[in-house]
Amino acid sequence: MIREMTIDDYEEVYTLWKKIKGFGLRSIDDSREGVDRFLKRNPTSSVVAEEDGKIVGSILCGHDGRRGCFYHVCVDKDYRRRGIGKNMVVFAMEALRREKINKVSLIAFTKNDVGNAFWNTIGWTQRLDLNYYDFTLNKENITAFNEQ
């Protein structure tokens, strides 16, 4: 079952994120308070997948009024290759369409072979015509990568 994510899902979703090898988690943005702030700003577009009585997938999805963005797209390793990821993507994209958003982007780490293969398989286009830049406003928002 795919449904909207709420803050009540946080502990189970965070536990899932911690299980994903190579997953990068930020100390502030991915805290309960950070996710709560994100969900309040984007109340209908983030999703979770439930199976066997537990959350097995998630997408944080939001928009700025012009473009949607996916963050932390993941499916538990034991539940992959069953359409869960694609179904979550479709659910989130439909939520964005209802809000009149016409384009969605995401960032996948170059070393994330599983994720990059997934996006290519379901028809997303890797952009080679632009550079991605960011600037850290809060140096305490540290990213740690799961080693599992």
Side-chain angles (χ1 to χ4, degrees):
M1 175 176 84
I2 311 297
R3 62 171 175 78
E4 288 177 11
M5 181 180 176
T6 71
I7 194 58
D8 293 335
D9 298 315
Y10 177 78
E11 284 78 17
E12 201 171 347
V13 168
Y14 191 81
T15 298
L16 171 63
W17 292 344
K18 294 287 286 182
K19 288 174 54 177
I20 306 294
K21 181 180 180 184
F23 211 77
L25 292 171
R26 291 197 174 129
S27 57
I28 297 172
D29 293 341
D30 296 323
S31 68
R32 182 180 181 88
E33 294 78 19
V35 172
D36 188 44
R37 185 173 48 254
F38 186 88
L39 293 175
K40 284 178 179 170
R41 182 176 170 93
N42 304 282
T44 63
S45 52
S46 293
V47 302
V48 293
E50 289 182 310
E51 200 165 306
D52 299 328
K54 65 181 180 175
I55 292 175
V56 299
S58 71
I59 299 176
L60 287 180
C61 174
H63 70 83
D64 59 10
R66 180 177 173 139
R67 180 178 297 221
C69 194
F70 286 174
Y71 306 90
H72 290 356
V73 178
C74 67
V75 174
D76 185 299
K77 191 175 106 180
D78 296 335
Y79 291 83
R80 291 180 186 160
R81 304 192 60 81
R82 295 168 44 187
I84 294 170
K86 185 174 182 180
N87 289 336
M88 288 192 308
V89 167
V90 169
F91 188 102
M93 288 171 47
E94 287 300 321
L96 291 171
R97 275 192 193 99
R98 284 191 298 275
E99 296 192 38
K100 308 293 188 232
I101 303 302
N102 298 307
K103 192 160 192 163
V104 186
S105 62
L106 63 90
I107 297 168
F109 291 112
T110 55
K111 293 183 179 181
N112 181 353
D113 295 333
V114 171
N116 286 301
F118 170 75
W119 296 114
N120 285 316
T121 299
I122 66 168
W124 285 56
T125 304
Q126 181 180 7
R127 297 285 303 263
L128 301 174
D129 61 330
L130 52 81
N131 295 315
Y132 173 79
Y133 297 91
D134 68 16
F135 189 91
T136 301
L137 295 173
N138 185 343
K139 301 233 188 265
E140 307 220 355
N141 191 26
I142 299 166
T143 301
F145 292 93
N146 298 337
E147 298 295 325
Q148 299 177 355

